[in-house]
Amino acid sequence: TFKGRENGLRPDLAEKLAALKPAFVRFPGGCWVEGDQLKFATRWKRTIGPLSERWNQWNIWQYFSTNGLGYHEYLQLCEDLGAEPLFVVNCGMSHKENVPMAEMEEWVQDALDAVEYANGPATSHWGAMRAKAGHPKPFHLKYVEIGNENGGPAYNERYRLFYDALKAKDPEMHLIANVTPADHPLEILDEHYYSAPRFFMANAHRYDTYKRSGPKIYVGEYAVTEGSGAGNLMAALGEAAFMTGMERNSDVVIMSSYAPLFANINYKKWNPDLINFDGTRSFGTPSYHVQRLFSANRGDEVVPVDVAPQVVDAQPVAVPRGAVGVGTWATQAEFKDVRVTHGDEVLYPKAGDAAPAWKTRNGKWEIGDGVIRQTSDAVDCRAVMGDPTWTDYTFSVKARKLGGAEGFLVMAHVEDENRWLWWNVGGWGNARSAIERSDGSQKMAIGNDSPGSIETGRWYDLRMEVNGRHVRCYLDGQLVNEGEDSASAIQPLYATASRDKATGDLIVKVVNTSGTAQRLTVNIDGVSRLGQIAQATVMTGAPDDENSLEAPDKVAPRVEPFTAPGPTFERDFPAYSLTLLRLKTR
């Protein structure tokens, strides 16, 4: 077993995890925490003690776990990896049920007991249980996440209970939230992303505009899950492009973790996974190698990078344009006083205009007397009107929630059913608002998001201003969300650089997502000379290339020494590649 532990882990799997040099491990996972129903929610006390007495847990991936890898073993694994443990507690919410507030004390106490098991002295009740399991010294748990992908008013009131209790027990504990709580402190916010390579490329600059005074960000789950095969090179490069943005903004994004980590190839219920195995063999996907290269080559200081590709193989992107619309998601609402203007020109309603021809999708729509109403519980309900050639306009409308789970959808730049922009007001369980863009293959967030919920029965003034690519969204006259509609503007090159203080190395990562090799001049400002020895690590291939048990290294990095004649030199960056340069600057 790994590190010779009793009831330990399979060495080849744990060693692949160790090679990632993880700073932390988040456990016991995502939806595993909630369970489809509360009876299947994670309860850590059922995962410690004699193996034969542990709970066999059913989960949404349709298998039972013996919990042989339980709370204690996860803590031991983190210690063996030299990684911080990040424990995710169930906050009294499952996919389909919530614990009544009157019964929450037991669940909060469960979290406090978990902290005592990890950190308490061997003389405490749960610390003694840890000592009995063979670990008298504390594990020093410092990070706890309250829930997984939970939100809405139910999460807000439960978050408050856990936050207050955990801070009272240990004021130094770092607490992570799933969404921005409406009325309680927030230290670290967990954001999850699963989409196509294009989404991650388009969002490589997402964190450039995040407020530096706001909460820290933890990208707790992310992976290319569309157009990725079983985990191909293009997926890995899309993730690498996104990771350059996280590294560049590491003052805001303080933690990140790919998900999921492991899959038995004979029982896969999710695709892709970072490390795949059968009874005796294992391999990492191209994404695994990207994670390893980024993690094993982290500097201490971010260095500014300016990238000017010589070849751009993407077509020029037209100025966004399109019709307008309104919509709901599992919510009933009505809208009135629709108005669209272009500067001083009124696009709608013009004098003498007949009632607009609304095109609806999903839901139960009623239109008449200047009011458009949606009265079903269906999701993704839309009503669209206007000219698809409209651009640079202000769209205003009044909206009132009649019932349901969320708020309103206000649409602009509607080209067709699959290409549009919408302002999701009171989305994600009526917890926050953000602008999202669909380009036909996936939906992506642009700009900031903001906390807030929509009240039932109250009329709201909603206004979207679209000027070129810039979008501003106002709720009752207050600017709430803002961003650049640049989803279609994909760069061919992404780069980040950092400096290792101990070695003086400059660490440069360059991602070429295009099908054209780039010959670039690399110019390192502020350095008079470079050391004689440099190293390049390159991973490239065909975009659809994958690894497998039979060909585990079909896509893998190769290391090549090279000599840079000085602070300015030329280098080829292959098509579909990740290149990592380590340059001696001292």
Side-chain angles (χ1 to χ4, degrees):
T1 64
F2 183 62
K3 302 288 185 181
R5 298 293 179 191
E6 184 178 354
N7 186 39
L9 303 178
R10 214 174 98 177
D12 64 318
L13 301 184
E15 285 162 4
K16 279 186 170 59
L17 186 57
L20 294 173
K21 299 187 182 300
F24 68 96
V25 175
R26 175 181 185 252
F27 66 88
C31 295
W32 183 270
V33 174
E34 302 130 287
D36 204 37
Q37 303 170 48
L38 285 170
K39 64 181 179 181
F40 299 128
T42 187
R43 307 303 296 270
W44 72 270
K45 291 173 184 174
R46 298 174 176 178
T47 74
I48 62 172
L51 298 180
S52 60
E53 297 176 12
R54 296 187 185 184
W55 181 40
N56 287 281
Q57 184 172 347
W58 178 254
N59 59 69
I60 65 171
W61 300 282
Q62 301 175 338
Y63 68 89
F64 281 97
S65 169
T66 65
N67 278 305
L69 176 60
Y71 184 55
H72 183 94
E73 287 79 20
Y74 270 118
L75 291 166
Q76 183 66 71
L77 169 64
C78 291
E79 184 176 82
D80 288 343
L81 292 171
E84 297 281 0
L86 192 173
F87 180 52
V88 187
V89 301
N90 186 295
C91 64
M93 301 178 72
S94 72
H95 287 174
K96 297 178 179 177
E97 305 167 296
N98 295 337
V99 177
M101 287 298 290
E103 301 173 17
M104 281 299 302
E105 183 178 354
E106 173 195 347
W107 295 73
V108 174
Q109 187 60 49
D110 211 43
L112 297 175
D113 292 344
V115 173
E116 182 177 296
Y117 184 96
N119 297 347
T123 54
S124 65
H125 176 76
W126 292 106
M129 294 285 286
R130 181 193 69 241
K132 184 179 178 181
H135 201 285
K137 294 182 179 179
F139 282 111
H140 303 296
L141 174 67
K142 302 173 186 174
Y143 293 84
V144 172
E145 182 166 1
I146 302 171
N148 172 73
E149 292 186 349
N150 301 127
Y155 178 74
N156 189 59
E157 56 188 358
R158 286 162 178 78
Y159 173 86
R160 185 187 309 117
L161 297 177
F162 283 89
Y163 183 93
D164 290 345
L166 288 164
K167 281 293 186 181
K169 186 176 184 68
D170 183 357
E172 301 301 316
M173 184 70 70
H174 300 290
L175 299 181
I176 301 169
N178 300 164
V179 297
T180 302
D183 56 3
H184 229 57
L186 170 62
E187 301 171 26
I188 306 171
L189 178 63
D190 184 3
E191 298 185 343
H192 295 179
Y193 304 104
Y194 294 111
S195 194
R198 188 179 183 87
F199 167 88
F200 288 96
M201 296 173 203
N203 279 272
H205 295 280
R206 174 180 178 83
Y207 296 107
D208 293 356
T209 56
Y210 265 47
K211 292 181 180 178
R212 267 44 194 173
S213 59
K216 301 301 182 183
I217 300 298
Y218 165 39
V219 182
E221 297 181 24
Y222 70 98
V224 168
T225 54
E226 301 172 21
S228 57
N232 60 30
L233 175 61
M234 199 67 216
L237 295 179
E239 293 154 3
F242 184 69
M243 293 168 72
T244 64
M246 290 196 289
E247 181 174 295
R248 181 174 60 253
N249 292 286
S250 54
D251 58 323
V252 172
V253 184
I254 60 170
M255 309 166 70
S256 67
S257 48
Y258 183 99
L261 281 178
F262 289 99
N264 186 319
I265 61 169
N266 297 306
Y267 301 94
K268 289 190 74 170
K269 293 291 184 180
W270 180 275
N271 184 67
D273 307 87
L274 204 66
I275 301 169
N276 296 267
F277 63 92
D278 65 6
T280 59
R281 300 169 294 172
S282 59
F283 69 93
T285 62
S287 294
Y288 171 83
H289 294 296
V290 167
Q291 293 289 323
R292 186 168 60 84
L293 287 175
F294 269 75
S295 186
N297 293 277
R298 282 180 286 182
D300 304 294
E301 297 175 335
V302 171
V303 177
V305 175
D306 183 42
V307 184
Q310 292 185 337
V311 178
V312 179
D313 60 1
Q315 294 297 314
V317 181
V319 174
R321 63 187 65 233
V324 299
V326 294
T328 62
W329 194 285
T331 303
Q332 305 85 52
E334 57 185 359
F335 306 86
K336 66 178 183 179
D337 297 348
V338 172
R339 183 176 175 83
V340 185
T341 60
H342 174 79
D344 295 331
E345 179 187 1
V346 177
L347 302 178
Y348 178 85
K350 293 181 178 179
D353 272 355
W358 291 90
K359 295 180 180 179
T360 62
R361 167 195 167 105
N362 298 339
K364 184 178 179 181
W365 291 94
E366 303 168 4
I367 303 171
D369 299 326
V371 175
I372 177 168
R373 183 180 296 113
Q374 199 293 112
T375 57
S376 81
D377 292 327
V379 300
D380 197 10
C381 304
R382 309 179 214 159
V384 174
M385 59 81 67
D387 190 331
T389 66
W390 282 348
T391 187
D392 293 346
Y393 55 79
T394 296
F395 171 36
S396 58
V397 61
K398 287 185 170 62
R400 178 167 64 178
K401 177 178 175 177
L402 303 176
E406 302 199 347
F408 318 113
L409 302 172
V410 186
M411 305 184 72
H413 291 168
V414 182
E415 300 174 51
D416 54 38
E417 193 172 88
N418 298 313
R419 293 172 175 81
W420 41 260
L421 186 82
W422 74 26
W423 178 24
N424 193 343
V425 190
W428 297 275
N430 202 16
R432 58 192 178 99
S433 300
I435 306 168
E436 296 180 286
R437 149 63 76 178
S438 172
D439 71 351
S441 60
Q442 72 276 324
K443 186 171 61 177
M444 63 189 74
I446 62 173
N448 69 304
D449 64 12
S450 57
S453 58
I454 295 298
E455 300 174 15
T456 301
R458 171 186 164 189
W459 283 103
Y460 290 87
D461 287 316
L462 307 172
R463 186 170 87 249
M464 289 185 75
E465 297 178 353
V466 291
N467 184 11
R469 297 195 178 283
H470 203 75
V471 185
R472 291 186 178 89
C473 299
Y474 296 82
L475 179 66
D476 289 337
Q478 299 294 316
L479 179 63
V480 174
N481 296 104
E482 185 173 10
E484 294 291 322
D485 184 6
S486 56
S488 300
I490 302 299
Q491 302 169 216
L493 284 180
Y494 303 82
T496 181
S498 60
R499 192 171 72 88
D500 185 326
K501 289 182 179 179
T503 64
D505 285 3
L506 184 67
I507 306 167
V508 183
K509 305 179 181 81
V510 179
V511 184
N512 183 358
T513 62
S514 76
T516 304
Q518 300 272 340
R519 184 165 185 80
L520 300 180
T521 299
V522 180
N523 179 42
I524 304 171
D525 283 345
V527 174
S528 59
R529 63 183 178 86
L530 294 177
Q532 291 297 307
I533 301 174
Q535 178 176 290
T537 304
V538 181
M539 186 173 78
T540 188
D544 292 334
D545 282 352
E546 301 176 6
N547 294 334
S548 64
L549 288 172
E550 291 70 31
D553 296 318
K554 182 176 182 179
V555 182
R558 69 177 191 275
V559 178
E560 54 187 50
F562 79 99
T563 301
T568 300
F569 59 92
E570 289 192 340
R571 181 172 178 88
D572 288 322
F573 295 89
Y576 304 121
S577 68
L578 166 62
T579 301
L580 186 145
L581 305 176
R582 289 196 74 112
L583 306 168
K584 299 291 183 183
T585 61
R586 189 170 71 183

